[in-house]
Amino acid sequence: MKTLVICSGGLDSVSLAHRVAAEHELVGLLSFDYGQRHRKELDFAAACAERLKVPHRIIDIGEIGRALSGSALTDDVDVPDGHYAEETMRITVVPNRNAIMLAIAFGVAAAQKAAAVAVAVHGGDHFIYPDCRPGFIDAFETMQRHALDGYADIRLLAPYVNISKAEIVTDGAKHGAPFAETWSCYKGGERHCGRCGTCVERREAFHLAGIVDPTDYEDPEYWREAVRKGPGRQGA
């Protein structure tokens, strides 16, 4: 099945790209520059495409991103430290981001005669991000079926939507994803900060998966405190 993967350059989407390359016909990676402060991740998406020998396209939707103001990912707002499921992490929501990106991706896939679009939303995102939940994925695929009726029949693949980040690490390792060549940190520094929600989630995922984390963190131990204090969590 000819499949286009939305790839940010993060651990989840790079793992997905390697999985799709193994299970389907990967026709390309699609990334978005929406004015995110951590756009350095796009370099990792480009490296993934080169590694898998497929085309990589970056869609500039910066003007749209500037209109979606108020998020710590797009505005001059401090990214909070702490557990990824804390209420404070809602400041990292970019409203309707996945819906916008997926709509564009489906248009690109239709133009390229692809049979599927794959996205790496996962179970750990459900609490904070509404456009990462199974209900959204199902509804979006239904909407696109109507939008492209008579023109294209494209599936939406979201194999991680009901699994944890730790399970993604396991799956990525199975498919040879080079985790050191991925970027997660929301702060976009020279190294992963180790303290923002996505760094904490990444560090915990490797711990739970029992796989060595090759990531270079500014603060490699903070995750233990964050997980211990996190909602409904026990000490690690």
Side-chain angles (χ1 to χ4, degrees), residues 52-70:
L52 296 174
K53 296 180 172 55
V54 295
H56 177 229
R57 174 177 287 178
I58 299 175
I59 304 285
D60 185 352
I61 54 171
E63 192 59 38
I64 295 174
R66 283 186 285 275
L68 306 178
S69 58

Side-chain angles (χ1 to χ4, degrees), residues 79-118:
V79 176
D81 294 340
H83 192 274
Y84 50 91
E86 291 178 5
E87 283 291 331
T88 55
M89 294 302 161
R90 291 192 184 277
I91 194 65
T92 65
V93 172
V94 179
N96 234 29
R97 179 180 61 176
N98 282 351
I100 293 167
M101 292 179 180
L102 279 168
I104 295 171
F106 265 75
V108 172
Q112 295 183 353
K113 309 300 182 187
V117 170

Side-chain angles (χ1 to χ4, degrees), residues 36-38 70-84 88-93 129 184-189 193-200 222:
Q36 63 269 46
R37 67 168 67 192
H38 56 295
S71 171
L73 301 192
T74 56
D75 287 5
D76 189 17
V77 178
D78 289 340
V79 176
D81 294 340
H83 192 274
Y84 50 91
T88 55
M89 294 302 161
R90 291 192 184 277
I91 194 65
T92 65
V93 172
Y129 305 109
S184 297
C185 183
Y186 280 160
K187 296 185 181 181
C193 73
R195 299 180 65 89
C196 70
T198 191
C199 277
V200 168
Y222 172 77

Side-chain angles (χ1 to χ4, degrees), residues 11-12 15 84 122-124 160 163-174 179 201-211 233:
L11 185 153
D12 307 330
S15 294
Y84 50 91
H122 66 87
Y160 299 154
I163 70 172
S164 69
K165 187 91 165 187
E167 291 171 290
I168 294 176
V169 169
T170 299
D171 189 68
K174 173 184 174 182
F179 298 124
E201 182 184 37
R202 180 183 176 112
R203 186 69 184 85
E204 182 192 22
F206 279 99
H207 171 76
L208 294 175
I211 293 174
R233 297 294 177 126

